[in-house]
Every structure is written in structure tokens, then in C-alpha cells.
Amino acid sequence: MSIILALPAAMAAATAVAASPATQVGANLERFAYPYPVRWYAAAADRRMAYMDVAPAGAANGRTLVLLHGKNFCAATWGDTARRLSAAGYRVIVPDQIGFCKSSKPAGFQYSFAALATMTRDLLAQAGVTGPVTMVGHSTGGILAVRYALLYPKGVASVMLVNPLGLNDTLAEGVPYAPLATLRAEEAKTDAASIRAYQLKTYYHGTWRPGYDRWVAMLAGQYAGAGGDAVREAQARLSDMIETQPVAAELSRVAVPVTLLIGDRDTTAFRGASAPEGTRVRTVPEAARDVAARLPDYRLVTLTGLGHAPQVEDPQRFGAALLAALGRWRSGCRRC
């Protein structure tokens, strides 16, 4: 029987984490196991992208899905989703973007969603992917999925956005711009306790399950030991990319069908805590509900009672919702 911690107990546990150092898993997660074999695409000598390529477990349906992780996530957190999709006949490719997880964190790299999209396109070409793919983007990966669809519309059949960032421009809503020096200072304070406390409050609406500890250890372990400074620098630059490169103003140009799968208990509002008192920054679910008029071909699926990471919080329910959404697009049904 799994144990669910109520908010006070979970907060106490999060505080206790700070007393013990994080297990060192390597700046590139060298000592953190992924659920499927890891392959590599080298965009340049210092830009190697790790990815998993999961073949259909049953009868192949000829479709390829690309799962794009969020900032506080990695390809590994898609493991259960990849297994369910593979069982349904899909080929599933799950990359770690440059700057994240097992992939390279090149010094001085100018992070942009356009650059990440282009490297993802080239990775797919190396993997022998032909024909349009479905992009499934979670959180920060949602911005990347939209940017990919804008840059390479002929290579995209549809887009599935899971609690995505970037649907609202938080700077325009009153969040002050945070220079890179500020972001670096914030990253210097990041540890297992702060990661867990943030996720408990923002992602999992006050309920902590033991299974989430693995993902905290994955993130915190990158900061520990040699290479930790490179991780912090990459994370600071990635935050700069998120705050300055939303896709809110370009949604009307998305030429492919879009499904929004939204856990309605998500309270994420990127850097909203730094906004002046009285400034209202929309949360991810609020922004998702507001974008309908700007998406030419969309469907909104509300995952009632789930938070920012429904694929982690309730893999079975999320997997069923995703497969149902994929089935609707395949059958040509847009609004049913």
C-alpha cells in the first residue's frame, strides 16, 4: 500500500532533506538509470543529446510521437507514458534537450527554443524518422513543441500540450525581468529541500507520494559533486530562455491541430512569486483556458484534480487521456 503524506508531514520531510547531502548522480546523470537504452545524437563536439527510442511493443500503427520534457523534468519522467504509447503501437522518441539531464551543458551556449527545435529535428533525421510526428510537450517542453510546429509545420501532424508554459507572456503581465546574475544567484540556493518544497506546493497541491522522491533525487543529484556548477549555469540560462521567449503572441500561426491536456490544480505561474504585490499573473490552467480563440484548431481536455505533472501524478489516467486524444485526431474528430 502506498503512503500519501499530508501537507504538514510532507513539508517536514522536505525540510529534513536539507540535513543530508544529495546523492551524486553526475552532472549528466551518469549514475541515474533510464527506463530504456540511451542513444546519442551529436549536434557538435560539445552538444550531445541523449534520447530513448522506444519501438512499438505490439502491432505498429506507423505513427511516431516525440515526448518533450519540462525544465524540472527529464526524459526518464516520461517512462510510464512511453511504455503505454508503445503498447498501443506507437514509436516513441524521448530526448533530453541540450542543457538538461543526460545531455551536454556547453559553456556559453546561447539557449533558444529555435535552437533546441532545430537540434530535435536533426536528431529525428538521424533516427530515421520520416513523415510528420506528433509533438507531446510538457511544461517548458510545451513551448518547444509550439516553436517546433511554427518552424517546421510540414514535419508535425499534431501537438499535444501538457500543462505548458509560454501560453501567456509573464513579463507583459507584470513579472519583472530577472537578469542572468539574479537567476544564477537563485540557482546557487537550489537543493533537494527547495526542489521538493516547490513541487509539493506548486505541482502536487499539497500531497506528496513516495514515488516523487526519485525525481527530486534526480534533479538534486545533478547539482552535487563535480560538474554541479555547469548544471546551475545551464539552468539559469534556461530560465532566461523561458522568461523571454513565450509563444503567446504567435499561437494564431500554429497550423496543426493542438490538444491541451491540463491538470486543473496546477498553480504554476512562471516567476509569478517575484511579481509586485497586487499583480495578477495567470497560472498555467488559466492561460490554457484563455488561448482558445488564438488556436485555429484546438481541443481542451481538463484533468480534474491533477496538478502540473499529470503523467507523474496519475500515469494511468494521464495515459488514457493522451491515447484518447490521439485517437480523436487520427479519426478526424476535432471537437468530439
Side-chain angles (χ1 to χ4, degrees):
M1 179 182 296
S2 63
I3 300 172
I4 300 178
L5 301 177
L7 179 58
M11 288 296 287
T15 301
V17 172
S20 57
T23 300
Q24 298 181 20
V25 296
N28 294 330
L29 295 183
E30 293 90 343
R31 295 179 293 282
F32 187 89
Y34 272 28
Y36 294 96
V38 174
R39 305 184 185 212
W40 298 94
Y41 164 69
D46 63 343
R47 299 172 195 175
R48 298 176 71 235
M49 290 179 66
Y51 69 100
M52 296 180 290
D53 189 345
V54 186
N61 61 24
R63 300 177 69 191
T64 298
L65 304 182
V66 182
L67 309 186
L68 304 172
H69 62 77
K71 181 178 183 292
N72 295 326
F73 301 84
C74 292
T77 50
W78 283 117
D80 188 275
T81 302
R83 178 179 60 80
R84 294 171 189 273
L85 294 171
S86 170
Y90 294 93
R91 180 184 181 185
V92 188
I93 294 182
V94 198
D96 276 337
Q97 295 299 320
I98 290 294
F100 292 92
C101 309
K102 286 186 178 290
S103 292
S104 301
K105 298 156 186 70
F109 181 64
Q110 179 62 53
Y111 286 96
S112 73
F113 285 106
L116 298 188
T118 299
M119 284 186 280
T120 300
R121 179 203 61 178
D122 295 344
L123 180 155
L124 295 176
Q126 175 184 280
V129 175
T130 58
V133 301
T134 291
M135 289 285 170
V136 182
H138 170 237
S139 192
T140 299
I143 307 178
L144 178 56
V146 173
R147 178 57 58 200
Y148 193 106
L150 289 169
L151 287 174
Y152 308 113
K154 292 183 179 179
V156 180
S158 63
V159 172
M160 305 280 164
L161 301 178
V162 184
N163 286 70
L165 301 183
L167 300 185
N168 55 324
D169 185 339
T170 56
L171 292 179
E173 291 185 358
V175 176
Y177 172 69
L180 194 55
T182 298
L183 298 173
R184 286 172 175 147
E186 292 176 355
E187 285 296 333
K189 300 175 183 177
T190 301
D191 59 15
S194 66
I195 292 169
R196 186 169 178 171
Y198 174 79
Q199 293 191 1
L200 171 66
K201 178 182 178 181
T202 308
Y203 293 177
Y204 303 120
H205 40 92
T207 298
W208 192 264
R209 293 185 173 92
Y212 304 157
D213 288 329
R214 170 173 169 78
W215 309 120
V216 173
M218 174 187 72
L219 295 175
Q222 291 183 92
Y223 292 100
D229 288 344
V231 175
R232 295 180 191 278
E233 177 68 13
Q235 289 295 303
R237 289 176 179 271
L238 290 161
S239 290
D240 179 82
M241 177 180 72
I242 296 167
E243 70 174 338
T244 59
Q245 300 174 37
V247 290
E250 301 175 77
L251 295 174
S252 63
R253 297 198 298 110
V254 177
V256 300
V258 176
T259 296
L260 298 159
L261 295 105
I262 306 297
D264 66 351
R265 296 197 68 183
D266 182 11
T267 62
T268 302
F270 188 73
R271 300 196 61 78
S274 64
E277 185 176 356
T279 299
R280 182 75 171 88
V281 180
R282 284 178 294 167
T283 64
V284 167
E286 289 170 338
R289 289 193 295 268
D290 292 344
V291 301
R294 287 177 286 153
L295 286 168
D297 194 349
Y298 80 98
R299 186 172 189 274
L300 174 63
V301 177
T302 300
L303 302 174
T304 305
L306 298 182
H308 187 67
Q311 77 277 28
V312 175
E313 187 177 358
D314 193 338
Q316 182 173 355
R317 185 175 164 200
F318 171 76
L322 178 58
L323 284 167
L326 290 165
R328 290 187 187 96
W329 292 129
R330 187 177 188 183
S331 67
C333 178
R334 295 294 191 264
R335 304 289 176 174
C336 58

